[in-house]
Amino acid sequence: MFGYRVPAPDEAMLISGGRRGLGGAPFRVVTGHGKFVLPIFRKTRFLTLSMCESEVTETCVTRQGISLHVRAVIAFKVGNDTESIINAGQRFLSDQDQMSILTGRIFAGHLRSIIGSMTVEEIVTERQKLAAEVLDTSKTEMAKIGLIVDSLQIQSIDDGDTGYIDAMSAPHKAAIQRQAQIAQAQATQASVEAEQVAARNQAEYARQTAIVKAQYSAEVDRAQAQAAQAGPLAQAHAQQEVLAAQTELAERAAQLRQQQLVAEIVRPAEAEAERIKVLAIADAERMKIQAEAAASHDRVALDRMLIDQLPLIVKEAAGGLAGANVNVLNGADGLGEIAAGLVAQGLTILDSVRQNLGGQNSKGRAEKPNGPLELQGYTRTPVDGDEPESGSPSAN
């Protein structure tokens, strides 16, 4: 639209002309919105509000009298408030490049003043302190011209050919070099130790690998040997089983043959022997019975004959006592005993005869009694011409 003006976001529009709405200011300040401006009656100018930069290179003398070449960079801009815009517009509107030049000169003076109150060590080690003090001392002066400083950076400090900073840094350099050497030695040692550990690990791995290979080789050889022996062993086991089976078969055949022989020969022989034994026992029993019957018949006849001859035997025994010298020790009782002894002697003779006859019957011949006939209970006194007989009882 004709006569309507709008400033850029980083600009302030300054409208001059007329007196309405100025409030004692030489121009009206418009930021952030447009304004209708009557042509011919009003004049419009624009002041930048963007960031500006100023570089300062200055030779300063420290409190110790050592010259330092200091290089700094200042970042500044026009303040956003109306008062700052008016102050900056009145000073720099026609030549806005003068803001950087003037700012550099202002900071150069403050920088020389502050460095002159500090030592080289403080300047080198406390740059932030130097920058903060320069900002504080220049803040009021910069506000008067409508400018604000955003930052101040000390880019370099150089003492030229004096070598003070190098000398000051020599102990630190030496310490740093020493630490660097120590660190390098530690790193080298760690590297060597790591290499040694790696070498040991490789050797151990190689040893384990060799052991495993040897074990595998031994297992393979053992398996091959077992495989090579498997055939003969299997054949030997098979032959052994065949021999065992043949042996068992032979034993069974021998047992069967033995059973057959027992059934065919032994059992019939035992049966025949048993039959012959039974027949022999039966024949012997028959003969025994016949012999006993014959002997019984003969004993009956003999007993009858002996009974008939017993009085004669006793008589002959008594006759033998007639010429004997008999001493009777106990009177009538002794005579009774002699008589009883004669009768008993006769019965004993009878039994002996019967036994001899029985022996004759069993042996087929008669045995002749040996020795003289003896009577118990008496003694015969020998006469002239008699010989003593052994075994004769003596009279009591």
Side-chain angles (χ1 to χ4, degrees):
M1 182 182 291
F2 180 75
Y4 191 81
R5 305 296 297 274
V6 178
D10 58 348
E11 291 180 339
M13 186 173 62
L14 306 179
I15 303 171
S16 60
R19 297 183 179 181
R20 187 176 174 182
L22 297 178
F27 45 78
R28 184 180 298 168
V29 179
V30 177
T31 58
H33 59 85
K35 189 74 174 175
F36 183 78
V37 179
L38 292 174
I40 303 173
F41 299 101
R42 302 285 189 273
K43 188 176 182 178
T44 304
R45 300 289 298 274
F46 294 94
L47 179 66
T48 181
L49 301 178
S50 62
M51 182 67 65
C52 298
E53 181 181 304
S54 177
E55 184 174 338
V56 178
T57 302
E58 193 68 24
T59 300
C60 305
V61 180
T62 65
R63 188 175 63 186
Q64 299 162 317
I66 299 173
S67 297
L68 298 177
H69 300 286
V70 181
R71 182 174 178 270
V73 176
I74 304 101
F76 67 95
K77 66 180 291 293
V78 177
N80 293 327
D81 59 290
T82 303
E83 183 179 359
S84 296
I85 293 172
I86 292 172
N87 291 335
Q90 289 178 340
R91 293 169 174 81
F92 307 110
L93 185 58
S94 58
D95 189 4
Q96 297 185 23
D97 292 335
Q98 289 295 321
M99 288 189 295
S100 297
I101 297 172
L102 182 59
T103 300
R105 290 175 180 175
I106 293 172
F107 273 88
H110 290 291
L111 192 61
R112 284 194 302 268
S113 175
I114 294 172
I115 287 177
S117 64
M118 298 176 66
T119 63
V120 178
E121 288 80 6
E122 292 174 348
I123 295 170
V124 173
T125 58
E126 298 180 3
R127 291 189 180 187
Q128 285 300 114
K129 179 182 178 181
L130 174 61
E133 289 183 1
V134 171
L135 286 175
D136 289 339
T137 56
S138 63
K139 185 181 296 183
T140 303
E141 192 172 352
M142 292 291 290
K144 290 179 180 180
I145 62 177
L147 300 177
I148 59 175
V149 179
D150 287 341
S151 67
L152 172 64
Q153 295 295 329
I154 307 297
Q155 291 185 339
S156 65
I157 300 174
D158 186 12
D159 60 353
D161 296 333
T162 60
Y164 186 89
I165 296 177
D166 292 337
M168 184 180 65
S169 63
H172 301 286
K173 288 182 179 179
I176 291 173
Q177 290 177 358
R178 183 172 61 255
Q179 292 177 358
Q181 292 175 357
I182 293 173
Q184 182 64 36
Q186 292 177 351
T188 303
Q189 182 179 0
S191 176
V192 173
E193 291 178 354
E195 291 178 357
Q196 292 176 355
V197 171
R200 286 197 297 269
N201 292 335
Q202 290 179 357
E204 180 65 21
Y205 180 77
R207 185 183 69 82
Q208 293 179 357
T209 303
I211 292 173
V212 172
K213 287 183 179 179
Q215 292 177 352
Y216 288 163
S217 178
E219 290 180 359
V220 170
D221 294 340
R222 185 162 51 252
Q224 290 178 353
Q226 291 178 356
Q229 295 176 357
L233 287 175
Q235 185 176 1
H237 286 307
Q239 291 178 356
Q240 185 177 3
E241 292 179 356
V242 170
L243 291 175
Q246 291 177 354
T247 302
E248 185 178 0
L249 181 62
E251 290 178 355
R252 291 183 179 179
Q255 293 177 358
L256 180 62
R257 181 58 182 166
Q258 182 179 4
Q259 293 176 359
Q260 290 177 354
L261 290 175
V262 170
E264 293 176 357
I265 298 175
V266 176
R267 297 304 182 190
E270 289 179 351
E272 181 65 19
E274 188 67 23
R275 185 182 67 81
I276 293 172
K277 180 179 180 181
V278 172
L279 292 176
I281 292 173
D283 190 21
E285 288 293 330
R286 181 181 60 79
M287 294 177 66
K288 180 179 180 182
I289 293 172
Q290 291 177 356
E292 289 179 352
S296 177
H297 182 270
D298 293 339
R299 281 196 302 272
V300 171
L302 180 59
D303 290 341
R304 181 175 297 276
M305 181 184 66
L306 290 175
I307 291 171
D308 292 338
Q309 296 296 327
L310 182 58
L312 181 60
I313 291 170
V314 173
K315 181 179 179 181
E316 289 294 332
L321 294 174
N325 185 14
V326 178
N327 295 321
V328 179
L329 300 178
N330 50 358
D333 293 333
L335 293 175
E337 290 177 0
I338 291 173
L342 291 174
V343 175
Q345 187 69 33
L347 293 177
T348 300
I349 293 170
L350 179 61
D351 289 335
S352 297
V353 173
R354 291 176 62 184
Q355 289 178 0
N356 290 331
L357 290 177
Q360 183 181 4
N361 291 329
S362 61
K363 294 179 181 180
R365 64 183 182 88
E367 295 180 358
K368 181 178 180 179
N370 296 324
L373 183 62
E374 297 179 355
L375 295 179
Q376 295 178 353
Y378 73 94
T379 59
R380 177 176 177 271
T381 303
V383 294
D384 295 335
D386 291 340
E387 294 180 357
E389 295 179 2
S390 61
S392 299
S394 59
N396 294 327

